[in-house]
């Protein structure tokens, strides 16, 4: 990709992104192309990170482990649902992921947790997300009982309108009262320590950023 | 009989082999009753005597076949009875040492034959047949064992089969039951008549014996000592596994002229044990001799010397024992008694609980019950004396912490006393730790919290955060919830979470800990679980929210000594001080993270924690060393009340230390304190006033307060009396400020004195102390004395003389004394009987009150009309004053000397005090170096010379030579008083000689050149007396 084109791309992206400055966008764009590999020779092909590559980044760089959550994060980034994160999605996604305001993050997290995208986090979805959260005790008759109970506890805490599921309003109200509930159903934002590491490395000199994919 | 055998008899404890009956008085009693029963059975119940046992009773006998006589078939080794049962079997069979008997008749006969060995045989029989009733009556009986009437009905059925002797088994059973009841009663009588020993009684005995032990002829023993230095909290020294047998301690006794005895003291009595085993560490616990009722009885038996010497010591012993039985013993006694009353097993449990809870439980209640009202002052006075002893090194006692736990207890206590400042609140005392009873009605929250704690334990990060958030929905301010969290093991988990890497879990956990640590018990538990070091580490975290929460939790936890100590020892003070710095260094990350908070907040939390910590002396030092004062000074400049309150609070705590006050002056903090007096916030006003109160001990600070215009707000706050805490602080500040004259003038300008007089009634003591103190200072000036009188302040002041608060009394006496300078006021005081009240305060136990009262008496006597008559009217008053000269407190002595000076102005009174021996007492004090005392002593001496042959008497009691040395003092007041005294004394020739010998003339000659006229005159008069004597002697020589 020639420099002029890159410059133009960076400018457009910077205009649309409120959390990164030009330099940072530049760094992130270069990182993106480093990660994707040189694709200039293959015009026409979809340029971007596929699900696996992206999950790898989430795992290696941001220490995420939950497969389901990572899938959901990928869906969150991949706005156009083409199974591939292009450079604009990359920048916009990271903008919320790393620097988002509380509102943005709440919206993002809610989308991650709303597995079927119907605008509500249902009991079933909660159960699904929490099912691995408790140490299984062999002594218990119903291994799922604890999880079910946990779901009830969460609902009691967050379901303000008592309709048995979480709307965004419920979620927002609960998070505003207790910020710890932002990532209530699993870590979908970067760990602060990892984030600092990532940013210092990328924004210092992205070319030296050694990426193991 | 069965019940007695299983429950009352004392079997040896040894686990293996056949158990044997112990030879205790109780067992012997029971055995004797059984023998009596069996012995007379044949005669009393001849029919039942023929009843054949279901199974024979068999044991090893020591009886020889030859002992048997008529009625028996005797061969060489065997004996059979002629009496047989229905089947022709003999009822008694003896072969070798084994004997088998099947009827009471035969048992009865056997005991006749046994004669002297009855007891042995019975014992052997019972040992071999643990359940004789079953053998006698059969197993049917066993199934309904002991529980009587139903058993009898079964027996009734049995007897139906046996038509020939229908009633017999039933009667036998009834007889056995009667015996059983009889034996139980017997055992009960025995137990109740025997007052069991308890640890404190034994301790008393041993202490007494120790007292009388030694090498000498008169000593009852050579030595007596415990085998173990460690005393458990229940007073026992025996290891816990022996305590369940009722053993209390073991002592090693060396009587004169006999071998050492190793003795076990147990609740049942005192006996010799197997002594120390070969490796010298363990004791052979097995009993080796008879049980005696106490130590003295045993030793009397074992050592003739002891018995002999004991008789001579007896009287003394008894006396002391009486003294020892003072109430303080009751507390441990009760506990011990309770432990003993419970069955052995639960006693063990109890002991274990006692161990784990440490000593606090035992010590604390007594603090609450017994502390006299002046406990605080008492403590600080103890502190003072200790400080004197230990010099500046307050931490030193800890260095000697090597020997024994019991030792440590006491050093700890000392350390507690000296490391804490007086500002500590009562709340500090460790409250008793009452855990919820396991079976008590538990609230529903308990189970819900238990469930949440389960998820905390077994959940990943996500589940943990949910559980933590849910837990916060409980009312954590409520004690039930706080204790529920602890009792289900939640505290451990919460503290463990702090040790993880998960920021969210840490935040959630701290948010809960912060709330529940308002509970004093939880605080203690957190410290016990080692929570403080972890929280101190979190203070280093890069996450400000975490830092804040950790600091706030520390602020809550560090409300008692041990916690504050832990914070310091883990470097917490330095880290907390570093938090104060947060507001300044703007190392803000480019964008604040979501879970973050503001810098100011961090500093506020840091100050909050320091405030809690600053209640310990060592922590104050640590804060200063960590550079906390400049940081606090900087924070003082902010205008956030939230921030100012903990900052001023910390400063106010620390200002009790001199080097802090200097630093506070240097950092220009006073200015800001004064500024914040005008704040809207009452708490802030209170702490500012409190800080000024503390700091205004120094003159420079008092001036600074005035220069910064602090007196006016103080005076205006004085009119707001609703908030008593603030009022106390404000009046305190006014008191200390009014030590400076300029300030008093200002206060008069602001009409503060009238307001103060108004506050003399209906105020709590904390306020009164300060109000009266302030008035005492103000009344040093003429105008104010008039003002106080005109406002009617004298009456309430005199009324306060009957109080008991010692600090208040010191101030009241001072104020009354100040007023008495004015003759007109004095008349009022006299009319209100104030002098009598002052006089009676000379009997107050506290020296400060005594001294202050004596000082106050001086102007009273000086200004009262008919002072001599008034003084004489106090019955025993003069004797009381003279006897105060035996005090060892310099201030008391000086004040009493001053009072005597005034009293002695009246000839009649002077005669009375002379009779009470004032001269030798004054003379005894002459060798002092204290200038204040010297001055008043010299004045008193010069006054007392005016009567009879007192001049001569002073000479005889060697008061003259030391007085001459007073002239070398630096203080002119001393010079004047001394010269006057010497002048009076020089009227006696012998005194002149003494003075001359001690070089008085040269010193006096210097004094003649003094600008002080009185001094000149007295010195000159004295010299002239000496000279005149010299001339007279010369003349005498030549004539």
């Amino acid at each position: 990709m020639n420099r002029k084109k890159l410059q133009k791309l960076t400018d457009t992206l910077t205009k649309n992104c409120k959390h990164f400055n030009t330099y940072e966008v530049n760094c992130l764009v270069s990182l993106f192309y480093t990660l994707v590999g040189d694709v200039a020779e293959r015009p026409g092909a979809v340029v971007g990170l596929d699900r696996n590559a992206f999950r790898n980044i989430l795992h290696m760089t941001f220490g995420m482990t939950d497969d389901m959550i990572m899938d959901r994060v990928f869906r969150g980034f991949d706005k156009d649902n083409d199974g591939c994160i292009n450079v604009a999605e990359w920048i916009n996604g990271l903008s919320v992921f790393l620097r988002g305001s509380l509102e943005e993050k709440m919206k993002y997290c809610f989308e991650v947790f709303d597995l079927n995208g119907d605008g509500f986090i249902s009991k079933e979805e909660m159960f699904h997300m929490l099912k691995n959260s408790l140490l299984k005790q062999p002594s218990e008759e119903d291994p799922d009982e604890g999880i079910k109970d946990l779901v009830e506890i969460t609902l009691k805490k967050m379901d303000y309108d008592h309709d048995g599921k979480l709307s965004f309003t419920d979620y927002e109200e609960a998070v505003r009262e207790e910020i710890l509930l932002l990532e209530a159903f699993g870590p979908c934002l970067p760990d602060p320590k990892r984030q600092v590491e990532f940013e210092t490395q990328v924004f210092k000199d992205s070319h030296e950023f050694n990426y193991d994919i | 009989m069965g019940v007695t055998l299983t429950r009352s008899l004392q079997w040896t404890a040894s686990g293996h082999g056949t158990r044997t009956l112990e030879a205790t008085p109780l067992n012997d009693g029971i055995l004797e009753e059984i023998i009596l029963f069996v012995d007379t059975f044949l005669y009393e119940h001849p029919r039942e005597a023929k009843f054949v046992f279901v199974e024979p009773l068999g044991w090893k006998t020591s009886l020889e076949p030859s002992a048997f006589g008529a009625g028996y078939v005797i061969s060489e080794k065997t004996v059979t009875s002629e009496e047989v049962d229905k089947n022709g079997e003999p009822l008694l069979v003896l072969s070798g040492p084994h004997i088998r008997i099947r009827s009471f008749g035969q048992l009865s006969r056997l005991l006749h034959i046994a004669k002297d060995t009855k007891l042995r045989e019975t014992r052997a029989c019972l040992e071999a047949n643990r359940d004789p009733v079953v053998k006698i009556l059969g197993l049917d009986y066993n199934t309904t064992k002991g529980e009587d009437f139903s058993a009898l009905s079964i027996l009734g059925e049995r007897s139906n089969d046996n038509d020939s002797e229908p009633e017999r088994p039933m009667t036998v059973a009834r007889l056995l039951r009667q015996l059983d009841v009889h034996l139980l009663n017997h055992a009960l009588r025995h137990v109740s008549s025997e007052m069991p020993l308890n640890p404190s009684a034994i301790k008393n005995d041993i202490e007494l014996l120790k007292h009388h032990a030694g090498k000498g002829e008169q000593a009852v023993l050579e030595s007596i000592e415990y085998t173990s230095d460690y005393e458990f909290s229940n007073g026992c020294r025996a290891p816990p596994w022996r305590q369940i047998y009722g053993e209390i301690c073991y002592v090693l006794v060396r009587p004169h002229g006999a071998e050492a005895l190793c003795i076990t003291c147990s609740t049942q009595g005192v006996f010799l044990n197997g002594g120390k085993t070969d490796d010298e560490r363990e004791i052979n616990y097995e009993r080796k001799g008879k049980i005696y009722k106490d130590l003295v009885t045993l030793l009397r038996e074992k050592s003739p010397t002891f018995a002999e010497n004991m008789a001579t010591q007896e009287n003394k012993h008894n006396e002391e024992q009486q003294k020892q039985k003072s109430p303080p013993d009751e507390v441990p006694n009760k506990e011990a008694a309770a432990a003993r009353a419970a069955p052995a097993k639960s006693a063990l449990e109890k002991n274990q609980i006692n161990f784990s809870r440490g000593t606090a439980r035992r010590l604390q209640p007594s603090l609450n019950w017994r502390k006299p009202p002046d406990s605080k002052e008492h403590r600080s006075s103890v502190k003072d004396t200790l400080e004197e002893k230990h010099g500046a090194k307050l931490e030193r006692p800890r260095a000697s912490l090597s020997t024994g736990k019991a030792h440590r207890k006491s050093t700890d206590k000392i350390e507690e006393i000296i490391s804490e400042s007086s500002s500590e609140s009562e709340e500090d005392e460790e409250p008793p730790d009452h855990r919820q009873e396991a079976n008590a009605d538990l609230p529903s929250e308990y189970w819900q919290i238990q469930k949440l704690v389960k998820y905390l334990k077994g959940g990943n990060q996500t589940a943990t955060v949910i559980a933590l958030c849910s837990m916060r929905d409980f009312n954590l301010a409520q004690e039930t919830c706080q204790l529920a969290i602890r009792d289900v093991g939640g505290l451990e988990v919460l503290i463990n979470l702090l040790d993880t890497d998960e920021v969210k879990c840490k935040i959630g956990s701290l948010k809960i800990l912060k709330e529940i640590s308002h509970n004093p018990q939880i605080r203690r538990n957190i410290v016990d679980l080692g929570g403080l070091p972890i929280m101190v580490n979190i203070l280093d975290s890069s996450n400000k929210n975490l830092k804040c929460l950790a600091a706030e939790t520390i602020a809550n936890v560090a409300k008692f000594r041990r916690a504050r100590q832990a914070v310091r020892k883990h470097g917490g003070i330095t880290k907390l001080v570093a938090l104060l710095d947060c507001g300044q260094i703007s190392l803000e990350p480019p964008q604040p993270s979501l879970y973050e908070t503001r810098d100011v907040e961090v500093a506020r939390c840091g100050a909050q924690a320091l405030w809690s910590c600053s209640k310990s002396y060592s922590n104050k030092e640590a804060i200063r060393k960590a550079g906390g004062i400049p940081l606090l000074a900087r924070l003082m400049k902010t205008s956030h009340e939230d921030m100012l309150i903990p900052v001023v609070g910390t400063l106010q705590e620390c200002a009790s230390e001199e080097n802090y006050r200097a630093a506070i002056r240097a950092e220009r903090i006073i200015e800001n304190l004064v500024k914040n007096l005008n704040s809207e916030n009452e708490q802030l006003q209170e702490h500012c006033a409190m800080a000024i109160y503390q700091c205004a001990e120094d003159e420079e600070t008092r001036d600074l307060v005035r220069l910064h215009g602090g007196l006016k707000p103080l005076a205006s706050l004085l009119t707001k009396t609703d908030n008593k805490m603030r009022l106390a602080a404000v009046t305190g500040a006014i008191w200390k400020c009014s030590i400076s004259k300029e300030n008093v003038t200002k206060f008069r300008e602001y009409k503060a004195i009238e307001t103060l007089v108004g506050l003399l009634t209906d105020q709590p003591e904390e306020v009164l102390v300060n109000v009266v103190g302030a008035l005492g200072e103000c009344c040093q000036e003429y105008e104010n004395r008039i003002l106080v009188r005109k406002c009617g302040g004298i009456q309430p002041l005199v009324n306060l003389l009957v109080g008991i608060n010692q600090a208040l009394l010191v101030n009241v006496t001072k104020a009354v004394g100040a007023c008495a300078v004015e003759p007109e006021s004095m008349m009022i005081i006299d009319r209100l009987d104030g002098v009598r009240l002052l006089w009676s305060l000379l009997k107050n136990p506290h020296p400060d009150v005594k001294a202050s009262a004596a000082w106050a008496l001086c102007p009273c006597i000086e200004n009262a009309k008919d002072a001599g008559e008034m003084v004489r009217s106090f019955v025993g008053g003069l004797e009381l004053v003279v006897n105060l000269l035996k005090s060892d407190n310099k201030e008391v002595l000086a004040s009493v000397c001053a009072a005597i000076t005034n009293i002695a102005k009246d000839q009649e009174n002077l005669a009375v005090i002379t009779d009470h021996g004032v001269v030798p007492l004054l003379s005894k004090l002459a060798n002092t170096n204290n200038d204040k005392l010297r001055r008043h002593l010299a004045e008193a001496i010069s006054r007392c010379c005016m009567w009879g042959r007192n001049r001569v008497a002073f000479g005889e009691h060697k008061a003259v030579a030391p007085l001459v040395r007073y002239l070398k003092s630096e203080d002119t007041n001393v010079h004047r008083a001394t010269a006057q005294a010497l002048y009076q004394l020089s009227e006696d020739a012998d005194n002149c000689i003494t003075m001359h010998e001690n070089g008085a003339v040269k010193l006096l000659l210097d004094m003649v050149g003094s600008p002080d006229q009185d001094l000149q005159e007295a010195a000159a008069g004295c010299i002239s007396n000496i000279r005149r004597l010299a001339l007279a002697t010369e003349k005498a020589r030549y004539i």
Side-chain angles (χ1 to χ4, degrees), chain A residues 99 102 105 130 132-135 140 146 149-150 153-154 157 178-187 199, chain B residues 451-452 454-455 458-463 465-466 469-470 472-473 501 503-504 507-508 511 591 594-595:
Chain A
R99 306 251 173 111
L102 181 60
K105 282 191 179 170
L130 294 176
N132 293 321
S133 69
L134 285 181
L135 212 65
E140 274 171 48
D149 194 37
L150 207 55
I153 289 172
T154 319
K157 176 96 192 145
E178 177 52 87
I179 186 82
L180 293 177
L181 290 173
L182 181 66
E183 298 172 76
F185 304 104
E199 290 190 20
Chain B
K451 201 171 60 188
L452 288 176
K454 199 176 82 188
Y455 297 145
N460 70 0
Q461 200 211 123
T462 310
V465 169
I466 292 175
C469 290
S470 173
R472 289 191 61 212
D473 284 348
D501 276 338
V503 176
K504 274 175 284 179
I507 290 180
K511 278 181 173 172
Q591 71 289 318
L594 266 182
Y595 304 102

Side-chain angles (χ1 to χ4, degrees), chain B residues 554-744:
Chain B
I554 291 175
N556 285 340
V557 174
K559 291 259 161 67
F560 64 108
R561 184 187 66 87
R562 202 152 45 87
R564 288 195 278 265
Q565 204 177 39
V567 173
R568 181 178 68 248
K569 285 195 176 148
H570 292 93
I573 301 290
T574 327
K575 288 176 187 175
L576 287 171
V577 169
L579 292 191
L580 298 182
D581 212 7
C582 268
Q584 311 303 320
I585 304 172
S586 277
L587 264 181
E588 292 266 349
Q591 71 289 318
S593 157
L594 266 182
Y595 304 102
E596 288 290 350
T597 172
R598 290 180 311 149
D599 283 332
V600 189
E601 186 64 10
V602 177
R604 186 188 68 81
C605 297
Q608 196 96 41
L610 284 176
W611 187 11
S612 291
C613 290
S614 65
K615 289 190 170 76
S616 295
Y617 169 79
S618 314
N619 282 352
K620 292 178 193 181
E621 264 311 288
I623 295 173
R624 198 177 57 84
K625 282 191 186 134
I629 302 176
L631 292 171
L632 287 170
R634 196 158 58 188
L635 291 175
M636 275 295 294
K637 293 188 181 106
T638 61
S639 49
H640 307 284
E641 278 166 10
D642 291 348
M643 172 74 93
L644 284 169
I645 290 173
V647 169
V648 178
T650 312
L651 286 171
Q652 163 236 310
E653 288 294 347
C654 294
S656 61
E657 304 305 317
E658 167 55 35
N659 43 20
Y660 259 95
R661 294 199 288 268
I664 286 173
R665 273 198 309 276
E667 297 285 347
R668 302 164 161 272
I669 290 175
I670 301 291
E671 188 183 339
N672 288 304
L673 286 175
V674 167
K675 195 179 84 195
N676 286 311
L677 276 179
N678 293 317
S679 147
E680 295 286 297
N681 186 307
E682 295 193 0
Q683 210 190 347
L684 183 54
Q685 289 174 332
E686 178 196 329
H687 291 306
C688 285
M690 199 67 193
I692 294 177
Y693 171 35
Q694 297 272 12
C695 292
E697 289 284 347
D698 312 301
E699 192 174 353
E700 204 186 326
T701 307
R702 294 197 286 269
D703 293 339
L704 280 174
V705 173
R706 184 181 63 253
L707 293 176
H708 292 300
L711 300 180
K712 189 161 191 185
L714 281 176
S716 64
L717 282 175
L718 204 51
T719 53
K720 295 175 188 162
T721 58
D722 44 333
N723 182 338
K724 297 300 176 196
M725 297 274 277
R726 184 184 59 183
L727 188 59
V730 169
T731 48
I734 291 183
W735 171 21
K736 293 298 172 185
C737 285
S738 57
I739 295 173
S740 292
K741 281 221 162 40
E742 296 91 332
N743 290 353
V744 176

